[in-house]
Amino acid sequence: MMIDNTKTLERIKQLTELHGAPGFEDEVRDYMKQEMNPYVDEFVQNNMGGIYGVKKSKQSNAPKVMIAAHMDEIGFMITHVTDNGMIQFTNLGGVANDIWQGQRLKVKNRNGNEIVGVVANIPKHFRTGNEAAPEIKDLMLDIGASSQEEVRERGIEIGDTIVPDTSFTQLSEYRYIAKAWDNRYGCVLAIEILELLKDIELDVDLYVGANVQEEVGLRGAKAAAEQIKPDIAFVVDCSPANDIKGKQQLSGALGEGTLIRIKDGTMILKPRFRDYLLKLATENDIKHQYYISPGGTDGGEIHKANEGIPTAVIGVCARYIHSTDAVFDIRDYYSARQLLKECITHLNHHQIEVLKFG
């Protein structure tokens, strides 16, 4: 089965423009459930908010395979409203301090409405040259209000969340900008792998979905892994590309294909799993690149859960993640999608035992 590229791009637009800060992933979860529903037998959801669609095998006692994305994006939470209507906030997830001044962000209020504002900055005319770089707690969002009362009249309260106000935009034939490609990439792939496998009978029970609160410490992954108890797992996540000055060793380059993440700050890829990925990528002429990261993914928690779960990350890279605009190459997404499909369709009892025990 093929998927129309126009449909893929529409899903990317829908998902990246949704408001889904850590702990506030409801919109993303609702969209994923709607899109996965035609292709699954049932849904399972854990108490933290992670959701998985289940495609059952006709074989009895089939091994369980987990495909895990995460729904949340980096964002902010409101901590204070000043007397003159400026909004102060704290970060949700890892962000640099120096990139937010002058940027448009949007608040989601208690009624589900979005209100756009701009992060205050000091014009050059008023600068002395002695200003220190601001910390996140010192930044303020200007929504055009003139008082604390006016902010509250618009349904905004302390604890409400903020994300970048970014539209999905095509830059060139293959490259796009969006917020939250980390990790709506994985959410799109979770939906589309189910669509691709719609008419294929598998030797495994496939659990496909996404976790919550990855950006604040891989918090939702453990609950999902303990609930599902998979034999093996695939994590689908987006990583930072470090290629604006040219390819930098194993740090990701746009257009070079899906990432074979052999090591990061939370997990080392098992040799047998590495060889499985590489064999399928080579045999099917799937563009791929080795990748090493100081950060981590939900795989860091999943591979340690229960008695240990062999886990691999099938990722893509993008420039400027954890900011207002990530730049990515859609061909890398297609490579990742193809590799994940090959990985799933080549699984059986024997192959899973090899990946588990060698």
Side-chain angles (χ1 to χ4, degrees):
M1 179 180 180
M2 296 294 292
I3 297 175
D4 181 1
N5 291 349
T6 303
K7 192 173 184 179
T8 295
L9 293 174
E10 179 58 30
R11 283 175 171 147
I12 293 173
K13 175 178 173 61
Q14 290 287 331
L15 276 164
T16 58
E17 293 182 1
L18 289 177
H19 198 298
F24 295 80
E25 299 92 349
D26 306 61
E27 289 184 21
V28 183
R29 181 167 46 250
D30 291 346
Y31 180 86
M32 290 191 70
K33 188 171 184 179
Q34 167 193 305
E35 291 293 298
M36 292 193 295
N37 188 60
Y39 313 117
V40 299
D41 298 299
E42 63 180 4
F43 285 98
V44 295
Q45 186 168 327
N46 59 62
N47 294 336
M48 288 194 70
I51 188 168
Y52 284 79
V54 187
K55 176 180 168 65
K56 292 183 177 178
S57 172
K58 290 185 177 178
Q59 295 190 17
S60 59
N61 300 315
K64 292 181 181 179
V65 175
M66 178 185 196
I67 299 175
H70 71 83
M71 291 178 271
D72 57 314
E73 62 187 293
I74 58 94
F76 305 94
M77 178 180 282
I78 296 173
T79 56
H80 181 65
V81 179
T82 67
D83 290 341
N84 66 340
M86 303 293 279
I87 294 170
Q88 292 180 286
F89 47 84
T90 186
N91 57 296
L92 295 173
V95 296
N97 292 350
D98 60 350
I99 62 173
W100 301 101
Q101 294 181 86
Q103 301 290 348
R104 288 189 185 187
L105 308 180
K106 56 186 178 182
V107 180
K108 184 178 179 183
N109 70 12
R110 300 292 167 96
N111 302 318
N113 300 319
E114 292 185 327
I115 297 97
V116 175
V118 62
V119 180
N121 67 94
I122 303 172
K124 182 174 176 59
H125 313 67
F126 300 143
R127 294 189 183 190
T128 65
N130 298 318
E131 290 83 8
E135 297 182 35
I136 296 296
K137 65 181 178 63
D138 300 320
L139 298 174
M140 292 188 287
L141 185 68
D142 185 345
I143 63 165
S146 57
S147 67
Q148 193 177 93
E149 291 72 24
E150 188 178 341
V151 172
R152 293 211 157 92
E153 284 171 4
R154 297 176 73 176
I156 297 171
E157 298 288 347
I158 289 171
D160 289 346
T161 56
I162 305 170
V163 299
D165 179 33
T166 306
S167 299
F168 176 59
T169 305
Q170 186 168 9
L171 294 177
S172 61
E173 184 177 2
Y174 298 113
R175 295 191 176 177
Y176 297 81
I177 55 175
K179 76 168 181 67
W181 190 232
D182 174 18
N183 181 34
R184 306 294 156 71
Y185 145 72
C187 296
V188 176
L189 185 50
I191 294 164
E192 295 201 336
I193 197 66
L194 284 168
E195 187 173 10
L196 285 169
L197 298 173
K198 177 178 181 290
D199 299 317
I200 299 175
E201 290 298 329
L202 301 176
D203 293 336
V204 300
D205 287 340
L206 194 61
Y207 288 73
V208 184
N211 304 318
V212 298
Q213 298 190 45
E214 190 269 357
E215 296 293 1
V216 288
L218 316 183
R219 295 179 185 172
K222 188 169 185 281
E226 290 179 348
Q227 179 187 35
I228 294 168
K229 296 180 174 59
D231 290 274
I232 65 169
F234 294 89
V235 171
V236 283
D237 204 347
C238 175
S239 302
N242 184 27
D243 66 342
I244 58 175
K245 293 183 178 180
K247 195 170 182 179
Q248 306 289 314
Q249 295 186 333
L250 305 183
S251 57
L254 266 61
E256 292 297 314
T258 186
L259 307 182
I260 307 294
R261 180 184 280 247
I262 53 177
K263 173 184 176 292
D264 65 26
T266 64
M267 192 183 82
I268 298 170
L269 180 62
K270 289 182 71 170
R272 294 274 181 169
F273 222 146
R274 175 202 63 205
D275 295 345
Y276 181 65
L277 299 178
L278 289 170
K279 179 176 182 291
L280 291 173
T282 301
E283 289 177 351
N284 293 280
D285 196 27
I286 300 169
K287 200 166 189 179
H288 60 282
Q289 55 186 313
Y290 283 106
Y291 188 78
I292 289 178
S293 174
T297 72
D298 274 342
E301 285 296 320
I302 293 169
H303 86 287
K304 296 184 295 184
N306 304 327
E307 297 176 1
I309 301 167
T311 302
V313 181
I314 295 181
V316 295
C317 61
R319 296 172 183 162
Y320 329 124
I321 68 171
H322 290 208
S323 73
T324 57
D325 298 83
V327 175
F328 65 92
D329 193 309
I330 194 67
R331 293 171 296 184
D332 296 335
Y333 170 77
Y334 297 140
S335 294
R337 190 177 69 184
Q338 185 183 358
L339 180 57
L340 183 59
K341 181 185 177 185
E342 296 298 334
C343 285
I344 300 303
T345 54
H346 283 82
L347 288 175
N348 52 41
H349 279 275
H350 172 72
Q351 183 61 64
I352 288 175
E353 290 301 297
V354 170
L355 293 175
K356 287 170 71 174
F357 302 113

